[in-house]
Amino acid sequence: MDKKEIAGIFEEIGALLELKGDNPFRVRAYYNAARMVDGLQEDLGTLIKEERLTDIKGIGKDLAAKITELYTTGKLAFYDELKSSMPQGLLEMLRIPGFGPKRAKVVYDRLKVDSIEKLEAACKSGKIAALDGFGEKSQQKILEGIVLVRQFSGRHHYDKAYAAAQPIIEALRSHDGVIRCSIAGSLRRCRETIGDIDFLVSAKPKDAAAIIDDFAQMPGILSVSAKGETKASVVLKGGIQADLRVVTDDQYAFALNYFTGSKDHNVALRARALKLKKLSLNEYGFSPASEKEKSAKELGSSIKCKTEEDLYEALGLEYVEPELREDMGEIEAAENGTLPKLVKLENLRGTFHCHSTWSDGIETVEAMAQAAFDLGLEYFGIADHSKSERQAHGLDEKRVRQQAEEVKKLNAKFAREGFRIFFGTECDILGDGSLDFDDQTLALFDYVVAAVHQGFNMDADKMTKRICKALAHPKVTMLAHPTSRLLLVREGYAVNMPEVIATAAKYNKIIEINAHPYRLDMDWRLWKHAKELGVKCAINPDAHSIPDLQYLAVGVGIARKGWLEKKDVINCLPLKDVEKVLAKMKTG
Ligand code: DGT
Ligand code: CA
Ligand code: CA
């Protein structure tokens, strides 16, 4: 079992113990352990082998033994017993946004509600509103939350789907009969959430059955839902569905294009083939649109496409990158030769908006900066929380000054390597749009990331004014996660994004793509317009641990979906240029 799964189980144990009314310190210990394990930078196997688990803050002998048991056997007797002592539906109820173990315990103890269905019924009959500490408003919120849970179930975060797909695509690639293979579907297009994973393979027809058989038995596969001669559907560990299709190598380019989608992009391509060539296009190739079209029939059989590039060329189009295939103007741009030259991961030179142990991160500033340096970056921006974020140990003015000293010392060391730490803050935008620090304190930072963390319930008009007021503040450099959505968990707050974007453009402010797979905010659909107005983007991992820095890759995928080029992304600038930009923004 890997560290992510172990962290997930500790998280569940924490919730189960909380539901049981266990000692709060014990509960907290599991939540903390989940965070620590998830953020581990060293290989878990090595730590276990060298008996160094207990060196980790918050991991004692007992937790170390549990981690070892999970890692080596994939099971934990304590967890299984705990789980079977509680109704299964209780844990499912916790997926409702804003409905944590404390509330679940109350409805369970008082009303014997132990499933989402029973909770829904209790809300509808007004029993929840009548409970102490609930009321009409919470009851309504719970009902809305249940709708969300149902709507989201069956979709998955990008990073989870990506991680589940990697070992399988590698196994397929090394399979003897496989000629070419690829991930297709929404995962290849880098959508923010993934329904199912699509794998495509080309092979000789005689090899297809063996490939399908071996696929169905791969280690990451939990169960087989359907199996035929050229396709199979399975459920992967973690509950993600996956499809495999096997085609001949002649069909591969067509099938890859078809199964990559999107459906709307396919429809538009097909219409073009019909109009331009009188050919119909499907997952196997071009064919005459009707039997009467003799000349087209000859043409159809003569159009062989080895690659997707060939296919687009046959339709008189430039190659369209998978991230752009959403029928949002890419076909027109491919026809006119105006497709963007999309930003790439290797273009990134640095990052902003990361956390450390000064607020709610699990590594020191030095360790985080060193990790960024090791990734080949030239700069690292630390932006810990501001004082109003008490839960996250936000920094007050005094600690800001202390952290500034620390960063200064570290920079004296890093400067020799041509690397720099930028000293920033993730500063709360208060309810009225003012900032959490006064101008004097804000002047201590190299840059300011402004963020809404509280008071989500105001109406769109008020929220828009609140954010736009912050954007107009001369000390603000960039806006963090503009809607604060948590994908598959909660919707963002109501806000007029076109107005926020226009305001950012007016005051020359940067907007972030928060690359955390739960956020991916600002949404890719809005970037094409923002870029046209001249708004620059910062791709920020919002890293709370060293592995979180890898989110940068997801952020780049989303930037690509938003048509962004290297010149649109501020952290593609080399250190010297970024220093100039930040200095200029600081002085206004
Ligand atoms: P997902 O799985 O919901 O995240 O999204 P996709 O895009 O991966 O959708 P999926 O797995 O249902 O199908 C994969 C691709 O196959 C899809 O992007 C386009 C193609 N496809 C599926 N059904 C249709 C269809 O009815 N018409 C067309 N033109 N293409 C389809
Ligand atoms: Ca899919
Ligand atoms: Ca599919």
Side-chain angles (χ1 to χ4, degrees):
M1 193 173 264
D2 68 21
K3 60 173 190 173
K4 284 242 178 275
E5 293 169 277
I6 296 177
I9 288 187
F10 278 4
E11 191 75 32
E12 257 186 47
I13 292 177
L16 286 165
L17 291 175
E18 210 175 342
L19 279 169
K20 285 202 140 179
D22 207 303
N23 174 348
F25 290 103
R26 192 157 171 241
V27 170
R28 195 100 318 268
Y30 279 99
Y31 288 145
N32 283 337
R35 259 184 355 126
M36 296 308 292
V37 170
D38 189 32
L40 271 184
Q41 186 210 356
E42 263 199 273
D43 177 57
L44 195 51
T46 313
L47 286 170
I48 290 172
K49 207 164 79 203
E50 297 175 3
E51 300 187 354
R52 287 194 287 118
L53 276 177
T54 47
D55 294 353
I56 303 167
K57 205 175 110 197
I59 309 277
K61 270 210 176 108
D62 175 61
L63 284 172
K66 290 194 167 85
I67 293 170
T68 308
E69 190 177 338
L70 280 167
Y71 184 82
T72 48
T73 69
K75 282 193 167 28
L76 180 63
F78 167 74
Y79 168 66
D80 293 340
E81 278 162 33
L82 187 64
K83 223 167 120 170
S84 60
S85 73
M86 311 279 286
Q88 170 70 21
L90 266 182
L91 265 181
E92 276 158 22
M93 273 160 52
L94 299 182
R95 290 176 42 219
I96 300 166
F99 193 80
K102 282 191 189 68
R103 304 200 126 201
K105 184 168 163 41
V106 174
V107 300
Y108 179 56
D109 290 348
R110 299 279 300 277
L111 302 172
K112 291 277 155 278
V113 163
D114 60 4
S115 69
I116 291 185
E117 288 68 35
K118 286 186 197 166
L119 183 62
E120 187 179 28
C123 284
K124 288 193 168 151
S125 62
K127 284 186 191 148
I128 299 293
L131 288 173
D132 276 354
F134 279 78
E136 279 295 337
K137 221 171 155 182
S138 333
Q139 180 169 282
Q140 192 50 38
K141 276 233 124 55
I142 292 171
L143 278 174
E144 287 164 16
I146 291 173
V147 172
L148 281 183
V149 167
R150 291 196 176 134
Q151 184 183 326
F152 290 151
S153 63
R155 295 198 72 81
H156 306 273
H157 292 109
Y158 176 87
D159 62 325
K160 199 177 156 205
Y162 181 86
Q166 289 320 299
I168 292 173
I169 194 72
E170 270 159 37
L172 285 171
R173 197 167 286 135
S174 62
H175 196 286
D176 277 344
V178 170
I179 303 170
R180 289 189 277 175
C181 67
S182 175
I183 290 169
S186 51
L187 188 58
R188 182 162 184 240
R189 299 199 316 279
C190 196
R191 286 293 290 231
E192 65 276 34
T193 64
I194 309 298
D196 69 356
I197 305 175
D198 302 279
F199 295 103
L200 180 71
V201 157
S202 71
K204 296 208 170 91
K206 69 171 176 56
D207 293 329
I211 294 168
I212 301 263
D213 277 345
D214 290 352
F215 170 71
Q217 289 169 32
M218 282 180 189
I221 284 161
L222 208 64
S223 66
V224 178
S225 330
K227 208 171 103 185
E229 276 165 27
T230 58
K231 57 183 182 185
S233 292
V234 300
V235 180
L236 306 183
K237 268 206 277 187
I240 308 180
Q241 305 244 17
D243 290 336
L244 168 69
R245 279 186 191 74
V246 183
V247 297
T248 65
D249 207 56
D250 282 348
Q251 296 166 338
Y252 184 78
F254 295 98
L256 180 58
N257 191 251
Y258 180 89
F259 291 114
T260 296
S262 66
K263 200 169 154 181
D264 292 342
H265 179 83
N266 291 353
V267 168
L269 277 188
R270 237 179 326 181
R272 189 178 171 88
L274 208 55
K275 194 169 138 215
L276 231 65
K277 309 249 170 202
K278 304 247 177 336
L279 289 176
S280 70
L281 168 65
N282 64 20
E283 61 264 55
Y284 307 115
F286 286 114
S287 58
S290 82
E291 279 307 312
K292 282 182 213 142
E293 305 276 351
K294 276 278 181 234
S295 60
K297 191 169 186 177
E298 283 148 29
L299 185 60
S301 55
S302 71
I303 299 183
K304 295 249 187 296
C305 295
K306 174 84 180 156
T307 63
E308 284 191 308
E309 278 83 351
D310 299 340
L311 199 165
Y312 284 100
E313 202 188 312
L315 293 172
L317 299 172
E318 270 184 49
Y319 175 70
V320 180
E321 300 276 2
E323 293 91 335
L324 297 181
R325 300 183 196 168
E326 300 289 351
D327 193 26
M328 289 184 49
E330 72 276 13
I331 292 179
E332 198 187 2
E335 181 173 14
N336 303 334
T338 53
L339 280 173
K341 198 166 175 293
L342 298 181
V343 59
K344 296 191 179 104
L345 182 59
E346 61 260 35
N347 297 146
L348 288 189
R349 302 290 194 92
T351 165
F352 304 97
H353 192 173
C354 293
H355 297 270
S356 74
T357 43
W358 281 88
S359 66
D360 57 352
I362 67 163
E363 301 280 355
T364 60
V365 179
E366 181 171 15
M368 292 295 284
Q370 182 65 45
F373 176 76
D374 294 343
L375 284 178
L377 298 178
E378 296 171 23
Y379 47 93
F380 168 78
I382 186 74
D384 275 310
H385 287 288
S386 63
K387 62 186 176 189
S388 287
E389 284 306 290
R390 289 203 190 82
Q391 283 247 359
H393 305 287
L395 281 68
D396 59 12
E397 290 77 0
K398 189 171 153 212
R399 290 178 69 228
V400 165
R401 288 191 160 74
Q402 291 167 349
Q403 195 185 27
E405 279 306 306
E406 179 177 310
V407 170
K408 210 165 133 191
K409 279 195 199 123
L410 288 171
N411 269 330
K413 206 181 100 188
F414 278 117
R416 274 171 288 178
E417 318 280 349
F419 182 87
R420 176 167 170 185
I421 302 174
F422 286 114
F423 180 49
T425 172
E426 182 178 10
C427 184
D428 265 32
I429 301 173
L430 305 179
D432 64 353
S434 62
L435 296 178
D436 204 12
F437 290 128
D438 60 21
D439 288 4
Q440 208 187 349
T441 309
L442 289 172
L444 298 170
F445 298 103
D446 296 323
Y447 68 100
V448 173
V449 186
V452 169
H453 289 119
Q454 290 158 24
F456 286 8
N457 287 331
M458 56 181 62
D459 63 50
D461 200 33
K462 248 176 129 179
M463 184 61 89
T464 307
K465 288 207 174 82
R466 174 183 179 187
I467 293 174
C468 291
K469 183 174 164 192
L471 278 173
H473 193 296
K475 292 277 185 275
V476 167
T477 319
M478 61 181 82
L479 175 64
H481 44 72
T483 71
S484 292
R485 72 177 179 192
L486 291 179
L487 292 165
L488 308 182
V489 177
R490 70 166 186 234
E491 309 263 18
Y493 36 66
V495 58
N496 179 342
M497 280 308 295
E499 203 170 322
V500 169
I501 291 167
T503 308
K506 178 174 169 198
Y507 293 102
N508 245 321
K509 299 300 165 86
I510 299 161
I511 296 181
E512 109 176 335
I513 289 180
N514 189 300
H516 191 291
Y518 276 58
R519 295 193 183 268
L520 304 179
D521 182 16
M522 180 162 95
D523 192 276
W524 57 267
R525 295 162 188 83
L526 299 171
W527 274 107
K528 203 172 151 197
H529 172 62
K531 159 181 147 167
E532 279 160 16
L533 294 182
V535 175
K536 299 288 180 221
C537 166
I539 301 176
N540 289 333
D542 200 353
H544 287 70
S545 70
I546 289 169
D548 286 1
L549 289 169
Q550 303 298 335
Y551 295 154
L552 281 172
V554 192
V556 170
I558 294 299
R560 289 168 64 85
K561 278 198 98 53
W563 292 54
L564 299 187
E565 309 189 13
K566 189 176 157 187
K567 66 175 168 42
D568 302 312
V569 178
I570 196 86
N571 40 332
C572 290
L573 289 176
L575 177 58
K576 287 281 163 279
D577 294 341
V578 123
E579 278 174 339
K580 277 183 218 145
V581 169
L582 293 183
K584 190 159 167 245
M585 288 182 82
K586 218 182 132 159
T587 50

